[in-house]
C-alpha cells in the first residue's frame, strides 16, 4: 500500500464520524496556519449526513469565517429541490454555523443547461483559486467523497466519458438512468487535493469497496489517486467485511489501520 493511501476500519458509524470530525478540525487548523484559509469540496448522498450533522455542532468554531465550501458534484435542480446536494449540506450544516455566505460556493443551477452550469462552476473555481494557465488545477485542502455501489464517486460514473476528462475542471453528466443531469468535478481536480477522504459504510458497499481498494480500473473511484496528497478510506466494519488484509494496526484507539 503506498504510504499516501491509508485504510481505517471503525467499529461503527459513530466512532468513524468522531474520527472524521477530529480530522476535519486538524486539517482546518493546518490550512489556516499555512494559507490563512481552508477549502473543502463535499459530496451529497446519505453517507455523509451524520458527519454533516456533527459538523454543524462546531457552531462557534471561529475558523468557519476562513472556511470555503464547494461541492464535489450537484444535481441540475433548483437549490431548494429535495435532491439538491447544496440543500442537503445547507439544512445540515450551513443553517447552523457562522460561515459567511460568500464562503459557500454552490453549483449555480439557475442557468439554461447543465453544461452552462458546469461552465459557470469552472469559472468560479478558476477565479477563486486564481488559476491562470491551462492545466492548472484547484488544490482543495479537503475532498470528501462517497462511493456508489456501481463504483461511481462524485458524479463520475462507469463507462461515461467524463471519467476520462483531463482538461475541464467541472463537467456536465447526462446519464440515462439518472433522475437528474449532474455537474461534477473532474478527476484531475479531485486528485489535486491535499486530503481525499472516502467515507464508506454499510454492508451494501462491501463488494464495491474491495474492488476499489484492489484498484479495479473499470470503476471511476479506483482512479482517485492524489498526485501529491493523502488518500484515506474511512470504513465501518460492515463495509470492510470483504477486505482481505495482511497486517492490521490499532489506530488512535478507535480504529484499525489495515494494509491491503
Ligand atoms: C451524490 C454523491 C454521490 C454519492 C454516492 C454515494 O450526489 O449522490 O455525490 O457520489 O457520494 O452516490 O451515495 P450514498 O452515500 O447515498 O450511498
Amino acid at each position: 500500500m503506498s504510504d499516501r493511501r491509508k485504510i481505517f476500519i471503525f467499529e461503527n458509524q459513530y466512532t468513524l464520524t468522531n474520527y472524521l470530525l477530529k480530522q476535519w478540525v486538524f486539517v482546518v487548523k493546518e490550512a489556516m496556519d499555512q494559507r490563512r484559509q481552508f477549502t473543502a469540496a463535499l459530496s451529497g448522498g446519505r453517507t455523509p449526513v451524520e458527519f454533516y450533522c456533527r459538523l454543524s455542532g462546531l457552531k462557534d468554531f471561529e475558523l468557519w469565517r476562513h472556511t470555503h465550501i464547494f461541492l464535489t458534484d450537484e444535481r441540475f435542480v433548483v437549490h431548494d429541490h429535495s435532491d439538491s446536494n447544496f440543500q442537503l449540506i445547507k439544512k445540515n450544516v450551513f443553517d447552523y454555523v457562522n460561515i459567511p455566505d460568500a464562503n459557500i460556493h454552490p453549483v449555480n443551477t439557475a442557468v439554461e443547461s447543465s453544461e452552462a452550469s458546469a461552465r459557470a462552476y469552472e469559472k468560479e473555481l478558476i477565479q477563486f483559486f486564481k488559476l491562470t494557465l491551462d492545466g492548472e488545477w484547484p488544490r482543495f485542502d479537503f475532498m470528501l467523497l462517497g462511493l456508489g455501489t456501481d463504483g461511481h464517486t462524485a458524479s463520475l460514473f462507469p463507462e461515461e466519458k467524463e471519467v476520462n476528462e483531463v482538461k475541464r475542471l467541472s463537467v456536465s453528466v447526462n446519464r440515462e438512468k439518472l433522475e437528474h443531469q449532474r455537474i461534477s468535478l473532474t478527476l484531475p481536480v479531485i486528485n489535486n487535493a491535499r486530503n481525499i477522504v472516502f467515507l464508506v459504510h454499510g454492508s451494501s458497499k462491501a463488494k464495491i469497496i474491495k474492488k476499489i481498494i484492489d484498484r479495479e480500473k473499470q470503476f471511476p473511484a479506483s482512479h482517485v489517486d492524489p498526485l501529491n496528497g493523502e488518500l484515506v478510506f474511512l470504513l465501518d466494519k460492515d463495509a470492510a467485511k470483504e477486505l482481505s488484509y495482511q497486517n492490521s494496526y490499532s489506530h488512535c484507539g478507535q480504529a484499525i489501520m489495515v494494509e491491503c
Side-chain angles (χ1 to χ4, degrees):
M1 174 169 75
S2 84
D3 59 0
R4 292 200 321 258
R5 184 174 96 153
K6 293 187 174 64
I7 303 165
F8 296 125
I9 302 174
F10 294 82
E11 188 62 29
N12 53 47
Q13 204 180 340
Y14 181 73
T15 51
L16 187 160
T17 308
N18 280 344
Y19 179 84
L20 181 53
L21 207 55
K22 287 191 190 114
Q23 280 304 100
W24 174 276
V25 173
F26 176 80
V27 176
V28 171
K29 290 182 175 174
E30 183 182 65
M32 282 295 302
D33 291 346
Q34 293 172 5
R35 290 174 294 280
R36 302 304 306 150
Q37 78 175 9
F38 167 70
T39 57
L42 300 180
S43 281
R46 291 176 305 278
T47 302
V49 172
E50 176 169 341
F51 169 62
Y52 294 154
C53 293
R54 299 281 299 284
L55 204 51
S56 67
L58 301 179
K59 286 181 178 36
D60 304 323
F61 187 35
E62 56 96 14
L63 297 185
W64 278 112
R65 65 175 177 276
H66 301 289
T67 291
H68 287 265
I69 304 279
F70 290 76
L71 294 173
T72 61
D73 62 321
E74 183 56 285
R75 290 84 187 276
F76 188 58
V77 295
V78 293
H79 282 165
D80 59 4
H81 191 288
S82 57
D83 289 346
S84 161
N85 287 344
F86 168 73
Q87 182 59 230
L88 174 84
I89 301 169
K90 178 181 184 298
K91 71 182 182 187
N92 287 291
V93 186
F94 301 147
D95 287 349
Y96 298 94
V97 297
N98 59 344
I99 184 169
D101 289 347
N103 292 22
I104 299 171
H105 305 269
V107 177
N108 177 6
T109 54
V111 290
E112 69 276 13
S113 68
S114 58
E115 177 56 24
S117 184
R119 292 278 180 191
Y121 199 42
E122 186 168 58
K123 197 165 165 219
E124 177 159 4
L125 288 162
I126 289 169
Q127 285 171 347
F128 178 82
F129 284 95
K130 302 181 179 58
L131 305 181
T132 48
L133 307 171
D134 273 349
E136 258 195 307
W137 308 106
R139 187 156 166 75
F140 282 96
D141 294 304
F142 199 96
M143 179 77 58
L144 183 66
L145 296 175
L147 176 65
T149 51
D150 62 356
H152 82 264
T153 192
S155 283
L156 301 174
F157 290 89
E159 294 156 26
E160 298 289 349
K161 64 185 185 315
E162 294 81 14
V163 179
N164 305 313
E165 175 59 50
V166 292
K167 291 192 181 317
R168 300 277 305 278
L169 306 186
S170 58
V171 287
S172 65
V173 179
N174 306 324
R175 183 177 170 92
E176 246 172 70
K177 287 179 267 185
L178 290 179
E179 195 177 342
H180 306 293
Q181 294 173 328
R182 304 279 189 102
I183 295 91
S184 182
L185 293 180
T186 56
L187 274 170
V189 176
I190 291 170
N191 283 330
N192 200 39
R194 292 183 177 85
N195 297 277
I196 304 174
V197 175
F198 267 109
L199 186 54
V200 186
H201 52 73
S203 51
S204 68
K205 303 288 176 74
K207 285 193 184 334
I208 190 62
I209 191 64
K210 170 155 178 40
K211 295 175 188 289
I212 302 307
I213 286 176
D214 290 348
R215 293 190 175 91
E216 293 188 22
K217 288 301 181 193
Q218 69 271 40
F219 303 108
S222 297
H223 295 268
V224 174
D225 185 9
L227 297 170
N228 176 18
E230 280 257 317
L231 172 59
V232 175
F233 290 90
L234 301 182
L235 316 177
D236 70 352
K237 265 193 335 182
D238 291 339
K241 68 185 180 184
E242 308 243 342
L243 295 187
S244 45
Y245 41 86
Q246 300 78 9
N247 301 309
S248 66
Y249 313 90
S250 172
H251 179 75
C252 70
Q254 291 183 2
I256 57 167
M257 182 172 81
V258 299
E259 291 184 355
C260 292

